Coordinates of all heavy atoms in Angstrom, one line a residue:
Chain M
H260 N 148.6 122.5 84.5 CA 147.8 121.4 85.0 C 146.3 121.8 85.0 O 145.5 121.0 84.6 CB 148.2 121.1 86.4 CG 149.2 120.0 86.6 ND1 149.0 118.8 86.2 CD2 150.5 120.1 87.0 CE1 150.1 118.0 86.4 NE2 151.0 118.8 86.9
A261 N 146.0 123.1 85.4 CA 144.6 123.5 85.4 C 144.0 123.6 84.0 O 142.9 123.2 83.8 CB 144.6 124.9 86.1
G263 N 144.9 121.8 81.4 CA 144.9 120.4 80.7 C 145.6 120.5 79.4 O 146.5 121.3 79.2
D264 N 145.3 119.6 78.5 CA 146.0 119.5 77.2 C 146.0 120.8 76.4 O 144.9 121.1 75.9 CB 145.4 118.3 76.4 CG 145.6 117.0 77.1 OD1 146.8 116.7 77.5 OD2 144.6 116.3 77.3
V266 N 146.3 123.0 73.3 CA 146.2 122.8 71.9 C 146.5 124.0 71.0 O 146.6 123.9 69.8 CB 144.8 122.2 71.5 CG1 144.7 120.8 72.1 CG2 143.7 123.1 72.0
F267 N 146.7 125.1 71.6 CA 147.0 126.4 70.8 C 147.6 127.4 71.7 O 147.2 127.6 72.9 CB 145.7 126.9 70.3 CG 145.9 128.1 69.4 CD1 146.5 128.1 68.2 CD2 145.4 129.4 69.8 CE1 146.7 129.2 67.4 CE2 145.6 130.5 69.0 CZ 146.2 130.4 67.8
V268 N 148.7 128.0 71.2 CA 149.3 129.2 71.9 C 149.3 130.4 70.9 O 149.8 130.3 69.8 CB 150.8 128.9 72.3 CG1 151.4 130.0 73.0 CG2 150.8 127.6 73.2
D269 N 148.6 131.4 71.4 CA 148.5 132.6 70.6 C 149.7 133.6 70.9 O 149.7 134.0 72.1 CB 147.2 133.3 70.9 CG 146.8 134.4 69.9 OD1 147.6 134.6 68.9 OD2 145.7 134.9 70.0
L270 N 150.6 133.7 70.0 CA 151.9 134.5 70.3 C 151.8 135.9 69.8 O 151.1 136.1 68.8 CB 153.0 133.7 69.7 CG 153.4 132.3 70.2 CD1 154.2 131.6 69.3 CD2 154.0 132.4 71.6
F277 N 154.1 146.0 75.4 CA 153.0 145.8 76.2 C 153.3 146.4 77.6 O 154.4 146.4 78.1 CB 152.6 144.3 76.4 CG 152.3 143.6 75.2 CD1 153.2 143.0 74.4 CD2 150.9 143.6 74.7 CE1 152.9 142.3 73.2 CE2 150.6 142.9 73.5 CZ 151.6 142.3 72.8
E281 N 149.2 143.7 80.8 CA 148.4 143.7 79.6 C 148.5 142.3 78.9 O 149.5 141.6 79.0 CB 149.0 144.7 78.6 CG 148.1 145.0 77.5 CD 148.7 146.1 76.5 OE1 149.7 146.8 76.9 OE2 148.2 146.2 75.5
A282 N 147.4 141.8 78.3 CA 147.4 140.5 77.7 C 148.2 140.6 76.4 O 148.1 141.4 75.6 CB 145.9 140.1 77.3
G284 N 148.9 137.6 74.7 CA 148.5 136.4 73.9 C 147.5 135.5 74.7 O 146.9 136.0 75.6
A285 N 147.5 134.3 74.3 CA 146.6 133.4 75.0 C 147.1 131.9 74.9 O 147.8 131.6 74.0 CB 145.2 133.5 74.5
E287 N 145.4 128.1 75.0 CA 144.1 127.4 74.9 C 144.3 125.9 75.0 O 145.1 125.3 74.4 CB 143.4 127.7 73.6 CG 143.3 129.3 73.4 CD 142.2 129.6 72.4 OE1 141.2 128.9 72.4 OE2 142.3 130.7 71.8
S288 N 143.4 125.3 75.9 CA 143.3 123.9 75.9 C 142.0 123.5 75.1 O 141.4 124.4 74.6 CB 143.1 123.4 77.4 OG 142.0 123.9 77.9
V289 N 141.7 122.3 75.0 CA 140.4 121.9 74.3 C 139.3 122.7 74.9 O 138.4 123.2 74.2 CB 140.2 120.4 74.3 CG1 138.8 120.1 73.7 CG2 141.3 119.6 73.7
K290 N 139.2 122.7 76.3 CA 138.0 123.2 76.9 C 138.0 124.7 77.1 O 136.9 125.3 77.3 CB 137.8 122.5 78.2 CG 138.8 122.7 79.3 CD 138.4 122.0 80.6 CE 139.4 122.2 81.7 NZ 140.2 121.0 82.0
A291 N 139.1 125.4 77.2 CA 139.1 126.8 77.5 C 140.2 127.6 76.9 O 141.3 127.1 76.6 CB 139.1 126.9 79.0
A292 N 140.0 128.9 76.8 CA 141.0 129.9 76.4 C 141.4 130.7 77.7 O 140.6 131.1 78.4 CB 140.5 130.8 75.4
D294 N 143.8 134.0 78.7 CA 144.8 135.1 78.3 C 146.1 135.0 79.0 O 146.1 134.5 80.2 CB 144.1 136.5 78.5 CG 143.1 136.8 77.5 OD1 143.1 136.2 76.4 OD2 142.2 137.6 77.8
L310 N 156.2 126.6 69.7 CA 154.9 126.4 70.3 C 153.8 126.5 69.3 O 152.7 126.0 69.5 CB 154.7 127.4 71.5 CG 155.6 127.3 72.7 CD1 155.3 128.4 73.7 CD2 155.5 125.9 73.3
E311 N 154.1 127.1 68.2 CA 153.1 127.2 67.1 C 152.7 125.8 66.6 O 151.6 125.5 66.3 CB 153.6 128.1 66.0 CG 153.6 129.5 66.4 CD 153.9 130.5 65.2 OE1 154.3 130.0 64.1 OE2 153.8 131.7 65.4
D312 N 153.7 125.0 66.4 CA 153.4 123.6 65.9 C 153.2 122.6 67.0 O 152.6 121.6 66.8 CB 154.6 123.2 65.0 CG 154.7 124.0 63.8 OD1 153.7 124.5 63.3 OD2 155.8 124.3 63.3
Chain W
M154 N 136.9 124.2 94.7 CA 135.7 124.8 94.3 C 134.6 124.6 95.4 O 134.5 123.5 95.9 CB 135.2 124.2 93.0 CG 133.8 124.7 92.6 SD 133.3 124.5 90.9 CE 134.2 125.8 90.1
K174 N 137.2 115.3 88.6 CA 137.4 116.7 88.9 C 136.1 117.4 88.9 O 135.5 117.6 87.8 CB 138.4 117.3 87.9 CG 138.8 118.7 88.2 CD 139.9 119.1 87.2 CE 140.1 120.6 87.1 NZ 140.9 120.9 85.9
V185 N 133.9 117.3 85.6 CA 134.1 117.8 84.2 C 135.1 116.8 83.5 O 135.0 116.7 82.3 CB 134.7 119.3 84.3 CG1 136.0 119.3 85.0 CG2 134.8 119.9 82.9
E186 N 135.9 116.2 84.3 CA 136.8 115.1 83.7 C 137.3 114.2 84.8 O 137.3 114.6 86.0 CB 137.9 115.8 82.9 CG 138.9 116.6 83.7 CD 140.0 117.3 82.9 OE1 139.7 117.6 81.7 OE2 141.1 117.4 83.4
G189 N 141.2 113.0 81.9 CA 141.6 114.1 81.1 C 140.6 114.1 79.9 O 140.2 113.0 79.4
L190 N 140.3 115.3 79.4 CA 139.3 115.4 78.4 C 139.6 114.6 77.1 O 138.8 113.9 76.6 CB 139.2 116.9 78.0 CG 138.0 117.3 77.2 CD1 137.6 118.8 77.5 CD2 138.2 117.1 75.7
I191 N 140.9 114.7 76.6 CA 141.2 114.0 75.4 C 141.2 112.5 75.5 O 140.5 111.8 74.7 CB 142.5 114.6 74.8 CG1 142.3 116.0 74.3 CG2 143.0 113.7 73.6 CD1 143.5 116.7 73.8
P192 N 141.8 111.9 76.5 CA 141.7 110.4 76.6 C 140.3 109.9 76.8 O 139.9 108.9 76.3 CB 142.6 110.1 77.8 CG 143.0 111.3 78.5 CD 142.8 112.4 77.5
G384 N 133.2 117.5 80.2 CA 134.1 118.1 79.3 C 134.0 117.4 77.9 O 133.8 118.0 76.9
T388 N 132.5 118.1 73.8 CA 133.3 118.0 72.6 C 132.7 116.9 71.7 O 132.7 117.0 70.4 CB 134.8 117.7 72.8 OG1 134.9 116.6 73.7 CG2 135.5 118.9 73.5
R449 N 145.0 130.7 62.2 CA 145.3 130.1 63.5 C 144.4 130.7 64.6 O 144.3 131.9 64.7 CB 146.8 130.4 63.8 CG 147.7 129.6 62.9 CD 149.2 130.0 63.1 NE 149.5 130.1 64.5 CZ 149.8 129.0 65.2 NH1 149.8 127.8 64.6 NH2 150.1 129.1 66.5
G450 N 143.8 129.8 65.3 CA 143.0 130.3 66.4 C 141.8 129.3 66.7 O 141.5 128.5 65.8
I451 N 141.3 129.4 67.9 CA 140.1 128.5 68.2 C 138.9 129.4 68.5 O 138.9 130.3 69.3 CB 140.5 127.7 69.5 CG1 141.7 126.8 69.2 CG2 139.3 126.8 69.9 CD1 142.2 126.1 70.4
P452 N 137.8 129.1 67.7 CA 136.6 129.8 68.0 C 135.9 129.4 69.3 O 136.0 128.2 69.6 CB 135.7 129.5 66.8 CG 136.2 128.1 66.4 CD 137.6 128.0 66.8
R453 N 135.4 130.3 70.0 CA 134.7 130.0 71.3 C 133.3 130.5 71.3 O 133.0 131.5 70.6 CB 135.5 130.5 72.5 CG 137.0 130.1 72.6 CD 137.1 128.7 73.1 NE 138.5 128.3 73.3 CZ 138.9 127.0 73.6 NH1 138.0 126.1 73.9 NH2 140.1 126.7 73.6
Y456 N 131.9 134.3 70.5 CA 132.8 135.1 69.7 C 132.0 135.7 68.5 O 131.2 135.0 68.0 CB 134.0 134.4 69.2 CG 135.2 134.1 70.2 CD1 135.0 134.4 71.5 CD2 136.3 133.5 69.8 CE1 136.1 134.1 72.4 CE2 137.4 133.2 70.6 CZ 137.3 133.6 72.0 OH 138.3 133.3 72.8
G471 N 132.5 126.3 69.7 CA 133.7 126.1 68.9 C 134.7 125.3 69.7 O 134.8 125.5 70.9
Y472 N 135.5 124.5 69.0 CA 136.6 123.8 69.7 C 137.7 123.5 68.8 O 137.5 123.5 67.6 CB 136.0 122.4 70.2 CG 135.3 122.4 71.5 CD1 133.9 122.2 71.6 CD2 136.0 122.6 72.7 CE1 133.2 122.2 72.8 CE2 135.3 122.6 73.9 CZ 134.0 122.4 74.0 OH 133.3 122.4 75.2
Y473 N 138.8 123.1 69.4 CA 139.8 122.3 68.7 C 139.3 120.9 68.8 O 139.3 120.3 69.9 CB 141.2 122.5 69.3 CG 142.2 121.6 68.6 CD1 142.9 122.0 67.5 CD2 142.6 120.4 69.2 CE1 143.8 121.2 66.8 CE2 143.5 119.6 68.6 CZ 144.1 120.0 67.4 OH 145.0 119.1 66.8
P475 N 139.1 117.1 69.1 CA 140.1 116.1 69.4 C 140.1 115.0 68.4 O 141.2 114.4 68.1 CB 139.6 115.5 70.7 CG 138.8 116.6 71.3 CD 138.2 117.3 70.1
I501 N 138.7 136.8 67.2 CA 139.3 136.1 68.3 C 140.3 137.1 69.0 O 141.2 137.6 68.4 CB 140.1 134.9 67.8 CG1 139.2 133.9 67.1 CG2 140.8 134.2 69.0 CD1 139.8 132.7 66.6
R502 N 139.9 137.5 70.2 CA 140.6 138.5 71.0 C 140.7 139.8 70.1 O 139.7 140.2 69.6 CB 142.0 138.0 71.5 CG 141.8 137.0 72.6 CD 143.0 136.4 73.1 NE 143.6 135.4 72.2 CZ 143.1 134.1 72.1 NH1 142.2 133.7 72.9 NH2 143.6 133.2 71.3
K503 N 141.9 140.3 69.8 CA 141.9 141.5 69.0 C 142.0 141.3 67.5 O 142.2 142.2 66.7 CB 143.1 142.4 69.5 CG 142.9 142.9 70.9 CD 144.2 143.6 71.3 CE 144.0 144.0 72.8 NZ 145.3 144.4 73.4
K504 N 142.0 140.0 67.1 CA 142.3 139.7 65.7 C 141.0 139.2 65.0 O 140.1 138.8 65.6 CB 143.3 138.5 65.6 CG 144.7 138.9 66.2 CD 145.6 137.7 66.2 CE 146.8 137.9 67.1 NZ 147.5 136.7 67.4

Side-chain angles (χ1 to χ4, degrees):
Chain M
H260 268 293
D264 296 306
V266 291
F267 181 68
V268 181
D269 195 357
L270 295 162
F277 298 90
E281 195 179 347
E287 305 204 30
S288 64
V289 176
K290 65 176 181 254
D294 284 338
L310 297 177
E311 288 188 346
D312 296 326
Chain W
M154 171 164 282
K174 187 171 160 192
V185 63
E186 63 182 33
L190 193 154
I191 291 176
T388 51
R449 291 170 49 77
I451 301 175
R453 302 282 181 186
Y456 281 6
Y472 275 112
Y473 175 82
I501 301 182
R502 289 177 285 278
K503 291 173 188 167
K504 298 173 192 166

